[in-house]
Amino acid sequence: MPFSFFKPKKFKPDFPIIPLYCTEEEVRTQLGKHAPVVEEEPESDHTISQKLLVAETQETCISVGIWDGRVRFTNYRTEKFNQSDGLKGRKLGWFVDYYGGRSEFGEPRDTGYMIFWPNPTKKIMIVFGLHMGPVRIIDQDPEHWPQT
């Protein structure tokens, strides 16, 4: 007799997923539905964002790096599914599936602290922190971010 409480739970975000091609105004609207939006200096991310838009609840902090009025990266730092490596793996799996599935991604690089997983088809990178399970999605299309 199978018990429903023994079934593995699937990760499903209960926070907004910010499309990489959004404008700053669209980001403010979407984040505003999650929590109050605060604009911050990018500090360590100043080379890939001009400003950060941050919306934080007790469980989830979403920060979006903006460059020239559009999304360059999005960080999702959530307590959801951080209790074990297996749950963190399910969280990472959800983001990989959402952004094209494993077949679109190249080989992941594991540094022991983070996993870097490129999707050359969509020209994005997923960065996953192994300790607390934050996820960063980075737009890596050089046509969007010309070098000056």
Side-chain angles (χ1 to χ4, degrees):
M1 177 166 143
F3 297 103
S4 63
F5 54 85
F6 286 132
K7 290 182 184 176
K9 293 183 171 125
K10 288 188 126 183
F11 176 80
K12 184 170 179 355
D14 53 2
F15 46 84
I17 300 299
I18 307 298
L20 286 176
Y21 307 108
C22 276
T23 65
E24 180 178 340
E25 205 50 48
E26 291 169 325
V27 171
R28 287 181 186 277
T29 300
Q30 287 189 23
L31 286 180
K33 294 174 186 175
H34 175 66
V37 179
V38 177
E39 188 173 313
E40 297 181 1
E41 289 295 316
E43 295 174 17
S44 63
D45 292 319
H46 70 277
T47 59
I48 62 171
S49 67
Q50 295 165 324
K51 66 176 102 170
L52 284 176
L53 300 178
V54 180
E56 187 169 7
T57 64
Q58 280 187 313
E59 186 175 274
T60 302
C61 178
I62 302 172
S63 55
V64 181
I66 301 292
W67 190 278
D68 286 342
R70 52 182 297 244
V71 176
R72 179 72 189 265
F73 67 84
T74 304
N75 291 334
Y76 302 96
R77 192 178 75 237
T78 181
E79 296 299 319
K80 189 172 188 175
F81 272 57
N82 279 350
Q83 294 79 17
S84 71
D85 288 343
L87 290 174
K88 289 177 195 172
R90 289 186 197 146
K91 182 188 334 185
L92 175 59
W94 186 92
F95 280 95
V96 169
D97 288 343
Y98 183 82
Y99 285 101
R102 289 177 188 240
S103 63
E104 282 193 13
F105 282 81
E107 279 297 309
R109 222 174 18 121
D110 181 348
T111 67
Y113 298 100
M114 294 186 285
I115 295 173
F116 295 86
W117 210 341
N119 180 326
T121 304
K122 290 190 171 52
K123 297 180 181 168
I124 64 168
M125 169 90 67
I126 293 179
V127 181
F128 185 74
L130 293 172
H131 178 58
M132 295 302 291
V135 177
R136 176 181 272 199
I137 312 299
I138 306 169
D139 180 354
Q140 292 193 308
D141 191 335
E143 291 181 20
H144 298 158
W145 316 109
Q147 299 295 318
T148 55

